[in-house]
Amino acid sequence: MLTAGSASTVHAVRSGTGSRYHAFDASSAPSSPEGTEGKSVISTAWPPIGPRAAVEDIALALAASKGGVLVTGPSGSGKSYLTTRAVNELRGRSFVVVIRGSAALARSPYGALNILLSDLDPGYLAHPVLVLSALTNLLRERSEGKPVYLVIENAVELDELAAMTVAQLARNGTAQLVLTCTDPQRLGGEITRLCGDGFLRRIDLKPLTFHESHAWLEAGLGAQVSPSGAHALWTASGGNPHYLKMLAAELAESGSLLKSDGVWVLTSRSEQHGRAITDLITTRLGRMGDGERKVLEVLSLARAVPLESLLALASADDVDSLEKRSVLVVDDSLPRMARLQSQLVGDVVRANVPPGRSNELRGLLLKSMDPALGQRSMLLSMAAWALDCGAKLGREEALEAAAMANRQLDARLALRLVRSIPGHSTVPGAVAEEARAMMTLGDVAGARDLLSLQLDEPGNGATLAELAEWVRLKLAEAVVLLALPETTAQACETLAHVRRRLEDETTTAAEGQDMATLREELVLAESQAASYSGSYAEMAARLEEVLQDFESHGTEFRLLAGSWLCEAWALTGRQSEAADMAEQLTADCHDPAVSVAAARRATSRLRFAFVLAGRWDKEGEMVQPGDDLLVSAAEALPTAIDLPKAIFRCLQGRGQDGLEALIPVISQLRVQDNEGMLDVACTAAAYASALQGDHEQALRYLKEASTQLRRPTWRKERTKRYLAALARDRVNGPEAAVEELLRLADADRDEGAPGHEIFCLSSAVRLGAVAAAPRLLDSALRCQGRFAELCVAYARATMSGSAELLLEAARLAEDMQNDRFAFDIAETVLHMDQVQLDKTVLRKARQLAETCRQRLRTPQSGNQEGLKLTAREMEIARLAANRESNKGIAAKLHVSVRTVEGHLYQIFGKLKIVERSELSFALGNVEGGAK
């Protein structure tokens, strides 16, 4: 049991899950973890917590209230900091008295007010009315007519007489109160009545959101923080600013939080938070009663408990008290589940519960639980709890829990569960789950060696359980075989054999649901295999048949299978259908019944469908599943949070935005890349660097990408080659890039993927392969969606040579948010013979190019390159753009009017404009490129 003095020397070891918030630094060299920057010293002076609006809210509440403001929030949420900042802004025009309540002072009458009562006759203290009158006079005298503010920190520690006096000072208008407290339920009756009567405005400080925490971490640490690292620290701290700051400092002090290429990154090394956090949390929780400690222990060990079951173990008052103090939270799911707000609190409490006590609590919880109230959802945490406390865990329970852990990407817990089974290496189901866990951790060789065990196929008389174990072992084997190009065919043969066996199997009605689950697992495995081989037409046909009976499947399967179908449709020319289905499935990504790991993988495919369909608005609006969840997958995937969005920015041509998002992701992937996505991230960074004009950096990223050997899926391989071609266009010129893009288009056509073919062809045409425009038109006409419509319009405009049609196509691209496409077309118009162009078309093209260039934040390229204005020309151009006459310019610069006219002739020629009114847009091009 946790008490103030019983803190263990073990600092919150995370049972079975591995650490979610361990930090690490890798060298900037991609192939070596050596050469780290070493331990970094974190400044103790962190920036303000949260937006300035929080301080302004306090000031506004004071101005609007009769008696003041009450600021509540958990310990470490920043109450004192924010109130101090707010009051400091009032000091110059008011009289401020700061009072700090404490348990020691609360034992004496008027204890917290002794700073004000020290000059009074001791006899006054026996008469509350005299005390109130004396304090009223004292404050009015000392304030000299200024407003009076009583700032009382930890207001729950005011004794009854002090609380009554303070309340009366607010009611009679002598002073306004600025109170802070952690637990409003413990406030004295007089203070509580002030809130009820409207004299006090209450402001509750909420935990920081993920994005607020990420921004604050970067400001406090003085550098970028990898998104997955920030998410792990936010999850561990529960959004509590004080815990967040301490955790970052302790991990940095231990050498676990280091910088790679100037970015703070995390690792999977088994480092825990330090003693300071343990002591702080232990002290804060030490004064809790037995009932509250019991609730804390149960939630720490079980992670999440149905509220009804928790109330069967503890009093409602104890649960309510902890919830109102934001120690625990109760979600809105059915059944309602209670969990601790901060993982750190759970870690500290769990580490200090003896095994015997832990086992006792587990037994009590199991007795109180109704299977209909979330026991299924608690299978994993209860199994991990059993391992920790030495409770008996049956083979089937361990296997089921290991499968659930693998679905949630908690590979380390899956391995613990599997290896707890006696003789697990001879149990097919255990071997299957062990292999899956090893693949999640990126250990392909280990998984392959593990599956060398040969298992005879069960005969026709086999039980469903025996058949299920064999099927899952074969599905795991197929996953491992897909990791190597030379064994792809063998993986497909394995899956085909499993399908034949399941189709031949006859089952009883009672076995129907279990057999349906096996078939669903097979469908997803076949879809994964097709994603490696590029057999998308076959995938689409199979999934369409499976999903005909849509409602017969569970939410997670429908989402995963539907996302595969979206990817297949988008690539095989049915982009509109893919986008429509993707839009319907997006909401399911945030369904509580769907694991975060499954939702993130589905989201990646839905994003891809939106991109190929030209629904870039929908792609941009997508929110990554789990970003707002304090409880997330144990194996945080660096690619899951920011990589898809960063690549999308690159496809838009927004090199600077893309690079800003890619750098922290790449730094994290150099440390841990279980999914093998570093090469794609580096290729995208190469293109982004090339867009920014940094060719040397682009080449370095391309070289690093070429050293990654992990087997790619079809989509990943195509994305990498496409981005690499665009990068090399910027570095080496368009010839080689066009050749590679046309090769990719040929391969796409041969493999039945016109959705990707038109992406490659449209880029090749924009790079100068005008002869490919008819083929682009033919392929685009066989596809659906807004992007295909854009390609049709662009191909026809290119074939006609019409500037007006090209400008219409550029407008379509801009409406689709494809800024790079629109910019390239506008530049094409500006490269045409301007003598024969309509001035209105020319002006619109230049305006569109400038608008897109500003959104792209890309250095000047195109028709202005090499035509920079001299300093004198720039000076004259700016004056002329500001409607200064030639005579006026000449007078200001002390030159002749003829000299000004000559300069303007040169300026118009360099900027390829014909009217003075076009100077402002043209100057935007030149000045932007010079920055």
Side-chain angles (χ1 to χ4, degrees), residues 516-535:
T517 300
L518 288 178
R519 291 194 174 102
E520 288 180 348
E521 292 177 16
L522 174 60
V523 167
L524 296 178
E526 289 172 332
S527 299
Q528 184 180 12
S531 75
Y532 278 91
S533 63
S535 307

Side-chain angles (χ1 to χ4, degrees), residues 7 18 47 101 108 133 210 235 286 367 404 440 456 458 469 479 517 541 584 639 654 781 806 817 851 859 889:
S108 303
S133 176
F210 165 56
T235 301
K367 289 179 182 178
M404 183 176 292
T440 298
D456 292 334
E469 282 201 338
V479 171
T517 300
Q584 296 173 23
T639 58
R654 299 185 179 183
L781 287 171
L806 282 170
Q817 298 183 10
T851 300
I889 295 172

Side-chain angles (χ1 to χ4, degrees), residues 451-474:
L451 289 168
S452 60
L453 167 71
Q454 295 298 318
L455 177 72
D456 292 334
E457 182 178 348
N460 291 331
T463 65
L464 181 60
E466 292 171 336
L467 178 64
E469 282 201 338
W470 175 82
V471 168
R472 291 190 172 112
L473 182 63
K474 288 299 178 182

Side-chain angles (χ1 to χ4, degrees), residues 290-313:
D290 291 343
E292 290 179 330
R293 283 202 297 271
K294 184 178 181 181
V295 173
L296 280 178
E297 289 171 342
V298 170
L299 291 180
S300 298
L301 293 161
R303 272 67 169 186
V305 175
L307 181 60
E308 185 170 324
S309 300
L310 188 62
L311 292 174
L313 289 176

Side-chain angles (χ1 to χ4, degrees), residues 500-540:
R500 288 192 297 269
R501 178 61 196 268
L502 289 181
E503 288 175 349
D504 292 342
E505 192 68 30
T506 57
T507 62
T508 65
E511 296 172 335
Q513 183 56 49
D514 291 333
M515 185 60 70
T517 300
L518 288 178
R519 291 194 174 102
E520 288 180 348
E521 292 177 16
L522 174 60
V523 167
L524 296 178
E526 289 172 332
S527 299
Q528 184 180 12
S531 75
Y532 278 91
S533 63
S535 307
Y536 282 101
E538 296 175 13
M539 180 201 294

Side-chain angles (χ1 to χ4, degrees), residues 553-841:
H553 301 286
T555 305
E556 185 164 312
F557 175 80
R558 293 200 306 262
L559 173 62
L560 290 171
S563 66
W564 280 120
L565 182 57
C566 288
E567 181 173 317
W569 275 350
L571 284 166
T572 53
R574 299 168 66 177
Q575 292 96 320
S576 292
E577 294 170 80
D580 290 343
M581 176 174 275
E583 194 167 356
Q584 296 173 23
L585 292 173
T586 298
D588 289 338
C589 293
H590 303 277
D591 191 313
V594 177
S595 70
V596 173
R600 284 178 171 170
R601 285 182 164 149
T603 298
S604 174
R605 296 189 278 270
L606 300 184
R607 286 181 182 275
F608 184 68
F610 282 136
V611 168
L612 290 193
R615 297 297 305 276
W616 290 25
D617 54 334
K618 289 295 180 183
E619 202 286 346
E621 293 169 2
M622 292 189 76
V623 177
Q624 280 296 85
D627 277 8
D628 57 346
L629 296 178
L630 286 166
V631 180
S632 185
E635 294 295 333
L637 300 177
T639 58
I641 299 180
D642 268 14
L643 182 57
K645 187 182 297 184
I647 291 178
F648 176 62
R649 292 287 178 263
C650 293
L651 292 176
Q652 287 180 301
R654 299 185 179 183
Q656 186 170 339
D657 294 338
L659 201 58
E660 288 173 355
L662 282 165
I663 287 174
V665 175
I666 289 172
S667 296
Q668 185 69 64
L669 288 173
R670 286 170 177 160
V671 175
Q672 185 179 12
D673 185 23
N674 294 345
E675 292 184 295
M677 296 298 291
L678 179 58
D679 54 347
V680 174
C682 286
T683 307
Y687 177 45
S689 299
L691 285 172
Q692 294 302 105
D694 193 340
H695 295 172
E696 290 185 5
Q697 180 171 272
L699 290 172
R700 287 196 299 272
Y701 276 124
L702 287 174
K703 182 180 179 180
E704 181 174 356
S706 68
T707 64
Q708 308 303 312
L709 303 177
R710 182 75 177 267
R711 167 75 188 285
T713 62
W714 189 96
R715 174 160 64 94
K716 174 192 165 184
E717 186 261 347
R718 285 297 200 274
T719 301
K720 178 180 174 181
R721 290 178 62 184
Y722 175 75
L723 290 171
L726 296 182
R728 293 194 183 281
D729 157 59
R730 295 272 156 177
V731 176
N732 302 325
E735 293 79 9
V738 166
E739 187 177 342
E740 172 65 6
L741 288 168
L742 292 178
R743 275 198 300 268
L744 282 174
D746 290 342
D748 292 338
R749 180 187 55 197
D750 295 342
E751 295 169 17
H756 196 267
E757 180 189 6
I758 61 175
F759 243 82
C760 297
L761 288 174
S762 63
S763 294
V765 174
R766 279 153 47 207
L767 293 179
V770 178
R775 178 180 166 185
L776 172 62
L777 176 62
D778 179 64
S779 297
L781 287 171
R782 291 185 285 110
C783 293
Q784 304 171 344
R786 294 175 62 186
F787 185 74
E789 294 170 2
L790 168 61
C791 289
V792 167
Y794 176 53
R796 285 174 171 164
T798 300
M799 293 162 64
S800 70
S802 167
E804 289 81 1
L805 292 179
L806 282 170
L807 191 58
E808 288 179 11
R811 290 295 186 195
L812 285 176
E814 183 190 29
D815 291 343
M816 204 185 77
Q817 298 183 10
N818 194 332
D819 298 319
R820 189 74 226 179
F821 205 137
F823 180 79
D824 288 345
I825 299 177
E827 285 279 283
T828 298
V829 173
L830 294 175
H831 272 93
M832 299 173 76
D833 186 353
Q834 299 194 10
V835 175
Q836 300 181 12
L837 287 182
D838 182 89
K839 291 182 181 179
T840 302
V841 172

